[in-house]
Structure formats: C-alpha cells, structure tokens
Amino acid sequence: MECRTCCGPNARPVEEEPHGGAAGGSGIRRRYLLSGALLLTGWWLLYRSLAPFSRWLTYDVFSLAPGTRFASAVQFFLFDTPKVLLLLTLVVFGVGVVRSYFTPDRARRILAGKREAAGNVFAGLLGIVTPFCSCSAVPMFIGFVTAGVPLGVTFSFLISAPMVNEVALVLLFGLFGWKIAALYLGTGLAVAMVAGWAIGRLGMEKHVESWVYMAGGTAEGGAAEGSISPDGRLRYGYDAVRDIVGKVWVYVVLGIAVGAGIHGYVPENFMASFMGSGAWWSVPLAVLIGIPMYSNAAGIIPVVEALLAKGAALGTVLAFMMSVIALSLPEMIILRKVLKVRLIATFAGVVGFGILAVGYLFNLVL
Amino acid sequence: MTKLQILGTGCPKCGKLAEMAEKAAKSLGLEYRLEKVTDIRAIMRFGVMMTPALAVDGVVKVSGKVPSEKEIRKILSDRPIP
C-alpha cells in the first residue's frame, strides 16, 4: 500500500548537513538573514509579475482572442499553476522549519499529562505542526496510547494531522483566498477536536487490539535526536520542499488543468442543480464519494475550486474535500492492525458526522 | 559483528534506508549483519514512533527519515569499540 505523505516511491535520502561553522557565529547568521531577505524579495517580485505575465503569454505570444473560452482557460492555467507552486514552495519550507521543533516524541510528552477536553484541543493543534505520515500512523498510535495519552486525545491528533495540512491550506489560500483557507483550518480543527472528544466519551478502549497496551517497550523512543543547529533546521525546510513539492507538483498541474477546462467549458451554474445548497442530499453524497477517493489535496482542490465557480455550494465542496483527505479507506485498513472493526467504524462515523455538520452549516450560513 | 536493524513495515523508504546502511557499513569495512524488522509489535519494542528507523546493536539511532550514507558512517564509527 502506498502512503501519501512520506513514503512515496521517490523517497530520497536526506542530504548531509553542512558541517561548516557550527551553531552560530554572528557573521554566518547575518549571511543567512541577508540571503533569506534577497530570496524573499525575489519570490515576491516573481509572484507579483505572474498575472501580467500570464496575460502577455496568452494574448500576445499565443495571440488568443480575449474573451473566448479557450483563451480564458489557458490564461487561468498559466496564472494559477506557477502561483500555487510558488506559494507551496514558500509555505512548505516555512512549515518544514517549524516542524523541526516538533517531533512525535515531544507531542506525546505534551499530551501524556493532559486531561480530556484540554487534551483534545492541544492534540488538534499539535497535529498541524508535527510531521506525520500515514505509514507512521500505527506506530504513532501505539506510542501515544502506551504513554498514557487518552484514546480520544490520540484520535484528535490522528484526525487533525492529515486533514489540516499545509498543502491543503496553501491551495485553498491560492485558489479561494484567505477566508476560505481560514474556514477550512478552523472547521477542520473543530472536527478533529470534537470527534476525538466524542470517541473518548464513548469508552472504546476495549476495541483497541489488546496486545497494543502491552507493546510499550521503552517509552523513550527515538533516541539520539539531540538538538538541531539553525543550519539543520533550514536544511529540514529545504528537504521538506524537495520531498513534498517534488512529489505533489504533478497533481497540482493536472488538477489545475482539469480546473481550467471546467472554467472554460462547463456552463455557469451547471453544478448548482446537483451540488447547490438547494439539494439537501448533496452533502452526504459528497462525503460518501469522498471516502474511497485517495487523492491528495493537491489534485482535488483545483477541481473543487472550479466546481465552486460553477455554482456548487461551499458547504458541499468543503465536506467533499474533508472527506477525501480525512477519511481514507487505505488508512482505515492500516489502522485495522491496532483497532477492532467496531472502533474503526465509530471513528469513520464520528468524523463523517462532523464533516456533514460542517457541510450543512456552511450551506445554511452562506 | 555489528547488528544493523531496519525497522519499518515495508514502505519504499525502508528499502532505501537498508541500502544506505549497507553501503555505509561496507565502506567502513565493518563486519555486519543486516536484519529487516517488519512486524509492528517487534518495531514497537524499540519504542520508535516514526518509521523507517535504524537500530545499531539494538539501539535506535535514527527514526523517521532516511539519513545520508555519510551520516550513517558517522553513527557507525562513533560507537565505542567493544
């Protein structure tokens, strides 16, 4: 089974860390700051020039007639693809650096002492910043539970970690604007916290495979991490970019191409009839369709953006996206190693219910 | 004889880690035995939460990433010689 975020076929070894001038001569730090500022300025100039550049390319170089469907699709594609890739590079780098401060061990230490409600909140937040991959879901689950992190709190973490991820947020920000990105962040966190809390309330501990509680071994895992130098953290961000952007760009390009096609060719309000807020059944249907889809956020969001532009309701679209990302069939199969079927079904049910609530809420409010 | 254990349930990164570890051990001329630990219970006994991980003589040295060959060489040569 292939994992999404960390174990792709093109997994590459991490480059050696530069061994130069140790942790921090001020000269080195100044050089870093300077080159960082230069890079950021370059990034910003590039970003700003994308819109005029894409117009120039479409209407002057390809000399397509403005106003035609084909021209608008081409310009959309030429503008959005580099825009999203630029945003992605910057944010993935930033998040990579931030993540070098958070290891699962640290998350576990923070959560082990927490009571339920507060623990769910912390777990949801930690899920955003802790590096996570679906093939580590099982060892992480065991590590948390055996260290005394309550079951519900562990679930909050496991729901939030894949659902609220930087790739999804960047794409939402780039294609929809910050309001929808913030909405997604907020509601995604809320679903993770509440669903985890609810699972905790249900007292499902006996539906965890019994060997899990005996598996603990030494609670001191990971070992030999030590502290990381500033160099190492930048390297961490750089590796994250190479790893994530290197894997995801294909989906971004494909997704935006499909989205551009929909923009150019599907008639206005075409989606309104079956994904509009008028159709009550559209939200549950969107969630159901989303479960077996194991696409990553990168491929699905540009398509979703185009659907929205054609009259689909925001709540329905958000529900669909969350379902695709957070409820994945392969992940449930992986979790079967440690959870009994009843608990997996409860997990899917509770999260699914939360997503439905988000969908209806937004259809109602907006 | 150094015991190198690759902990991981079999994703492509585990294979990569095994390859790097072997390369590093060979380049040091180390006498080693490579073992792949794929059973999740056995992995958990090491207390790691992120796979793949590398254990040298039963002690976890790296987890959650594939280090470079150079890094592994450093890990292998930094050990106290018994």
Side-chain angles (χ1 to χ4, degrees):
Chain A
M1 182 164 321
E2 221 206 299
C3 300
R4 235 175 319 189
T5 42
C6 63
C7 303
N10 47 355
R12 287 184 228 84
V14 174
E15 288 285 303
E16 14 255 72
E17 299 201 350
H19 280 287
S26 63
I28 290 175
R29 189 157 300 160
R30 204 172 308 135
R31 218 178 57 210
Y32 271 128
L33 279 176
L34 202 68
S35 48
L38 273 176
L39 280 174
L40 260 182
T41 316
W43 185 93
W44 178 242
L45 289 176
L46 201 60
Y47 187 78
R48 289 305 302 264
S49 57
L50 285 178
F53 183 69
S54 69
R55 277 195 297 272
W56 175 73
L57 215 56
T58 311
Y59 303 120
D60 296 344
V61 178
F62 301 148
S63 50
L64 298 169
T68 60
R69 286 173 169 183
F70 184 66
S72 77
V74 167
Q75 199 235 325
F76 176 82
F77 179 76
L78 290 178
F79 175 52
D80 275 52
T81 312
K83 180 177 87 171
V84 167
L85 289 177
L86 272 177
L87 278 171
L88 205 59
T89 307
L90 185 70
V91 173
V92 166
F93 180 80
V95 171
V97 173
V98 170
R99 283 197 174 153
S100 70
Y101 290 91
F102 292 89
T103 62
D105 282 299
R106 178 177 253 187
R108 178 169 71 170
R109 267 200 306 278
I110 295 173
L111 292 177
K114 291 283 179 299
R115 302 177 63 97
E116 277 194 335
N120 293 113
V121 172
F122 273 98
L125 293 172
L126 281 170
I128 306 176
V129 289
T130 307
F132 175 81
C133 103
S134 47
C135 18
S136 285
V138 165
M140 251 187 219
F141 178 87
I142 300 174
F144 274 45
V145 169
T146 51
V149 178
L151 188 61
V153 175
T154 306
F155 268 106
S156 279
F157 182 87
L158 284 181
I159 296 165
S160 149
M163 179 149 75
V164 190
N165 69 73
E166 70 277 20
V167 176
L169 287 174
V170 164
L171 282 154
L172 285 171
F173 172 76
L175 298 171
F176 294 85
W178 68 270
K179 277 185 200 150
I180 294 196
L183 268 182
Y184 181 83
L185 174 70
T187 52
L189 270 177
V191 167
M193 290 167 185
V194 175
W197 179 81
I199 290 171
R201 291 281 92 185
L202 289 171
M204 304 289 287
E205 279 76 5
K206 59 178 181 295
H207 296 289
V208 174
E209 294 288 354
S210 50
W211 63 267
V212 167
Y213 289 103
M214 269 103 68
T218 52
E220 295 303 315
E225 288 295 328
S227 66
I228 312 172
S229 66
D231 270 11
R233 297 193 192 282
L234 291 178
R235 170 64 64 180
Y236 208 97
Y238 173 76
D239 284 336
V241 168
R242 218 181 43 177
D243 223 43
I244 297 176
V245 179
K247 204 173 303 171
V248 134
W249 71 269
V250 188
Y251 298 99
V252 173
V253 173
L254 281 178
I256 294 178
V258 173
I262 296 176
H263 264 287
Y265 290 97
V266 176
E268 284 307 318
N269 291 321
F270 174 75
M271 299 309 293
S273 52
F274 47 98
M275 276 182 97
S277 56
W280 67 269
W281 42 266
S282 63
V283 179
L285 187 68
V287 172
L288 276 183
I289 295 175
I291 296 176
M293 287 182 74
Y294 189 50
S295 160
N296 45 35
I300 210 77
I301 293 175
V303 178
V304 149
E305 192 269 340
L307 295 181
L308 199 63
K310 298 299 173 185
L314 177 63
T316 310
V317 158
L318 273 181
F320 176 62
M321 232 178 75
M322 285 187 173
S323 163
V324 168
I325 300 175
L327 285 175
S328 78
L329 211 51
E331 189 171 321
M332 289 182 208
I333 295 168
I334 294 177
L335 283 174
R336 176 65 193 88
K337 282 183 193 161
V338 278
L339 306 177
K340 291 181 186 159
V341 176
R342 277 270 298 274
L343 184 46
I344 294 184
T346 310
F347 162 69
V350 170
V351 175
F353 185 79
I355 294 174
L356 279 183
V358 167
Y360 280 121
L361 184 74
F362 284 113
N363 282 353
L364 215 67
V365 172
L366 297 171
Chain B
M1 180 76 85
T2 309
K3 187 164 69 172
L4 301 174
Q5 284 160 307
I6 310 294
L7 319 178
T9 44
C11 49
K13 270 195 179 180
C14 312
K16 191 80 207 170
L17 177 61
E19 192 187 306
M20 302 307 278
E22 215 155 357
K23 249 197 219 163
K26 271 189 191 135
S27 77
L28 288 172
L30 218 61
E31 232 182 291
Y32 71 94
R33 188 161 49 91
L34 188 88
E35 182 195 346
K36 285 189 181 176
V37 182
T38 52
D39 177 47
I40 181 71
R41 298 176 205 207
I43 292 173
M44 289 318 293
R45 263 182 239 119
F46 286 88
V48 297
M49 283 202 284
M50 298 213 292
T51 55
L54 168 70
V56 180
D57 287 333
V59 180
V60 177
K61 294 295 187 189
V62 181
S63 94
K65 66 169 188 177
V66 180
S68 63
E69 189 196 329
K70 193 170 154 195
E71 220 173 310
I72 303 178
R73 267 207 307 268
K74 191 157 171 282
I75 291 166
L76 291 177
S77 47
D78 276 357
R79 293 169 312 136
I81 307 297

